[in-house]
Amino acid sequence: MAKERLYLFDTTLRDGAQTNGVDFTLADKLAIAGMLDELGIDYVEGGYPGANQTDSELFAKDRELKTTFTAFGMTRRPGRSASNDPGLAALLDAKADAICFVAKAWDYHVKVALETTNEENLASIRDSVKAAKAKGREVLLDCEHFFDGYKANPTYALACAKTAHDEGARWVVLCDTNGGTLPHEVEKIVGEVCKVIPGDHVGIHAHNDTEQGVAVSLAAVRAGARQIQGTLNGLGERCGNANLVSLIPNLLLKPEYADRITTGVTRDALKTLTQTSRLLDEILNRAPNRHAPYVGESAFAHKGGLHVSAVQKSPQTYEHVPPESVGNRRKILVSDQAGRSNVVARLEDAGIRVNAADPKLARLLDEVKEREFGGYSYDGAEASFELLARRMLGEVPEFFKVDSFRVLVERRHDALGNLKVVSEATVKITVAGATMFNVAEGQGPVNALDSALRKDLGVLAPYLADLELVDFKVRILTKGTEAITRVLIESKDGKGARWFTVGVSENIIEASFEALMDSIVYKLLREKAPVPR
Ligand SMILES: [Zn+2]
């Protein structure tokens, strides 16, 4: 049986741009469009030309993309003609391969929000589709609030969809705008729609308000819809849109869909999915979600000793798909539950070969257990674990030595009576036999200490030039009657590498210092920096 084609439509740049705290620049939008194109996404919705400067510039640009680059906008306003609507004109003039109109499909909204009649709304859909077709554009209609509208007045909701289809729109997209419709309801309603409009002209646009954006989209596919709209990493206002990064592997790897359906994303392109997801986070300057299905750092992480030995004999024992299929990798976590097999596997992960009978291995295992009892956690701090192991194996040279440090925090009023809090750190460092004092100010004591540490490391400085601290997490642990501070630092460099280091102490500055030092030494090792002499 020939497989049916399912089309993927990405709206990261339009609906995804509604996310709290997300503000794409023109360069961001171009970079993301390129990524989506590489991945094999059929439609990329770039934005809303005429609505803001960035989107207008984006659509004025020439592109070399295989994808159908789509402009989004409203149907003509009620009571105006299509030729006398500046919003529609901007949309029709945009350099786009396709136009996706949005129109109300719920009679309640037509009355209350648009303040017009049902007939005028249908006429607006008809005129807008006609005008875009006349311009030679492929046309899509997003039926806003379709499912709520269908429940209230199925005849009218269907009439909106059918009007666009009859006028020649390539796709009619059923939107669950409020994101509250459940998968079984969507499956039933889409099934009804597909009796009137062929499923290969029907799309689904779901939001994630019940955490079922992906499930709702798949339910629509089961009922016959052949276009899915979604965003990378589920970006979108409120709880986000349907997450394409989860949808794509479900469609390609689960036989229920893979046996019946093909998409524009090849199995080879699927192997770049993890990278694509993380690149988006990089552009947004956010830490990737470790627990994201398929692509998260923890998606194929194994912790308990028994799991680990089983997964090493046969990965299917604890993995639903091979991690490599989505470009992710298996990860063996080190923890106080760890058996010897965890530690060996984790070391191999870091490229360290140790004979299982090596007595150093038993010492390392004891050391890890003792430290975890003392408050360390190496689950989230692979770089510190690798350093600990390499130190025990004698593989970490002393690049430099910190003889002492001092951190001052001063709270005072300046001459104008304004309150000032100033942090200053002094670090005494020996590099290649030469001692130096580095002094730096910072926004806080840890920032000052970090600046002073890295201010002048002599010949080592070039190897650290692109080192950047991304995140700093503090956790207070109670051990018996004592409070202990654990600091976890995330660092990155200009080559896109990210690593996590940990420090533990009764004193927050000392814990931070330890995590900072690990980060610096880890970076020097990565760079294969020479030991200064
Ligand atoms: Zn939406």
Side-chain angles (χ1 to χ4, degrees):
M1 201 178 79
K3 291 187 189 181
E4 283 183 67
R5 182 71 156 85
L6 179 108
Y7 293 83
L8 295 169
F9 181 109
D10 179 278
T11 181
T12 304
L13 302 180
R14 200 272 301 171
D15 229 0
Q18 303 299 318
T19 314
N20 248 350
V22 166
D23 196 9
F24 293 127
T25 63
L26 183 60
D28 293 341
K29 283 204 163 193
L30 290 168
I32 294 166
M35 271 160 52
L36 292 163
D37 193 43
E38 286 285 302
L39 188 60
I41 302 296
D42 301 293
Y43 295 83
V44 172
E45 192 169 54
Y48 199 161
N52 62 66
Q53 185 77 20
T54 305
D55 287 359
S56 298
E57 279 177 38
L58 177 68
F59 279 95
K61 267 191 146 29
D62 290 317
R63 291 170 307 266
E64 279 178 38
L65 300 173
K66 300 178 287 294
T67 190
T68 303
F69 202 68
T70 307
F72 174 87
M74 288 195 281
T75 50
R76 74 153 173 81
R77 282 191 214 164
R80 289 204 183 203
S81 69
S83 55
N84 187 26
D85 183 329
L88 183 61
L91 195 53
L92 294 175
D93 288 340
K95 271 194 214 166
D97 309 309
I99 292 177
C100 183
F101 288 108
V102 58
K104 308 275 182 205
W106 186 358
D107 56 357
Y108 174 69
H109 267 267
V110 172
K111 195 170 107 190
V112 174
L114 284 185
E115 296 178 1
T116 186
T117 62
N118 286 352
E119 291 66 34
E120 172 61 7
N121 187 45
L122 293 180
S124 158
I125 293 172
R126 196 177 301 122
D127 293 349
S128 306
V129 173
K130 190 182 279 177
K133 294 274 296 181
K135 273 275 192 178
R137 305 285 193 269
E138 183 178 334
V139 184
L140 301 91
L141 182 80
D142 272 4
C143 297
E144 209 186 2
H145 297 291
F146 183 83
F147 295 93
D148 296 314
Y150 190 91
K151 287 181 198 172
N153 183 347
T155 313
Y156 187 68
L158 263 180
C160 295
K162 194 146 184 333
T163 298
H165 179 68
D166 290 349
E167 202 56 54
R170 169 68 186 85
W171 292 101
V172 173
V173 182
L174 313 179
C175 302
D176 188 27
T177 310
N178 296 358
T181 315
L182 300 174
H184 66 277
E185 299 176 294
V186 166
E187 190 165 345
K188 185 163 169 286
I189 295 173
V190 173
E192 295 296 323
V193 174
C194 289
K195 288 178 191 162
V196 182
I197 299 168
D200 58 358
H201 292 270
V202 174
I204 179 77
H205 175 114
H207 281 260
N208 203 32
D209 297 71
T210 68
E211 211 175 16
Q212 297 183 96
V214 168
V216 159
S217 307
L218 292 175
V221 172
R222 283 165 57 93
R226 288 296 175 262
Q227 184 191 106
I228 298 179
Q229 299 199 344
T231 59
L232 286 177
N233 295 350
L235 230 57
E237 62 190 320
R238 305 191 310 274
C239 317
N241 285 57
N243 185 358
L244 285 180
V245 172
S246 300
L247 272 162
I248 292 168
N250 281 330
L251 293 166
L252 267 72
L253 299 176
K254 300 295 172 184
E256 156 102 23
Y257 302 101
D259 292 350
R260 292 162 45 201
I261 274 164
T262 60
T263 71
V265 181
T266 62
R267 288 295 290 262
D268 266 348
L270 185 65
K271 291 184 184 137
T272 66
L273 191 68
T274 299
Q275 196 194 343
T276 303
S277 165
R278 305 229 175 124
L279 265 172
L280 180 74
D281 287 323
E282 187 65 40
I283 289 171
L284 295 173
N285 199 21
R286 341 171 144 182
N289 173 8
R290 292 185 148 240
H291 303 286
Y294 291 105
V295 298
E297 286 260 339
S298 299
F300 301 95
H302 305 285
K303 185 163 173 173
L306 214 63
H307 283 212
V308 170
S309 55
V311 93
Q312 279 172 325
K313 278 183 214 141
S314 164
Q316 299 98 293
T317 49
Y318 286 100
E319 288 172 357
H320 71 119
V321 295
E324 305 76 34
S325 59
V326 290
N328 205 343
R329 58 193 194 101
R330 177 170 309 124
K331 212 167 125 188
I332 307 298
L333 300 176
V334 184
S335 78
D336 54 3
Q337 298 174 35
R340 186 174 283 246
S341 52
N342 282 48
V343 174
V344 174
R346 185 66 194 86
L347 289 173
E348 277 175 7
D349 234 27
I352 307 172
R353 297 241 160 258
V354 196
N355 187 330
D358 193 327
K360 283 187 194 127
L361 194 64
R363 285 223 314 273
L364 177 61
L365 196 57
D366 286 346
E367 179 77 18
V368 168
K369 286 188 171 174
E370 197 176 307
R371 283 173 169 251
E372 296 210 326
F373 183 73
Y376 286 83
S377 169
Y378 290 104
D379 268 5
E382 296 79 16
S384 284
F385 173 75
E386 188 180 328
L387 281 179
L388 179 69
R390 289 193 188 276
R391 281 193 181 110
M392 295 203 72
L393 298 169
E395 292 178 5
V396 182
E398 190 174 61
F399 292 103
F400 63 97
K401 205 168 103 205
V402 175
D403 301 308
S404 64
F405 71 77
R406 184 170 58 209
V407 179
L408 293 171
V409 179
E410 188 186 8
R411 185 180 191 272
R412 60 179 164 81
H413 290 89
D414 68 9
L416 297 168
N418 298 318
L419 184 64
K420 295 254 156 154
V421 182
V422 187
S423 300
E424 184 193 289
T426 309
V427 184
K428 185 181 170 193
I429 299 174
T430 305
V431 186
T435 298
M436 43 195 148
F437 285 93
N438 287 352
V439 183
E441 286 186 350
Q443 282 161 352
V446 176
N447 181 239
L449 183 61
D450 176 41
S451 302
L453 262 176
R454 290 197 279 148
K455 187 174 181 186
D456 184 7
L457 280 173
V459 291
L460 296 172
Y463 300 98
L464 300 170
D466 63 343
L467 170 63
E468 208 181 305
L469 301 190
V470 199
D471 200 10
F472 176 87
K473 285 198 190 80
V474 179
R475 178 110 187 254
I476 310 295
L477 313 160
T478 319
K479 289 269 163 195
T481 54
E482 289 168 274
I484 291 177
T485 306
R486 175 163 77 211
V487 168
L488 190 70
I489 286 178
E490 181 180 359
S491 311
K492 69 169 183 181
D493 68 14
K495 297 172 198 80
R498 278 173 185 267
W499 61 94
F500 294 83
T501 53
V502 65
V504 170
S505 167
E506 287 160 25
N507 183 301
I508 186 173
I509 304 291
E510 171 62 16
S512 309
F513 172 76
E514 194 185 3
L516 283 171
M517 282 292 285
D518 267 8
S519 175
I520 292 171
V521 173
Y522 183 78
K523 170 71 172 164
L524 291 171
L525 271 184
R526 274 185 70 91
E527 293 287 329
K528 301 192 168 61
V531 180
R533 35 183 114 247

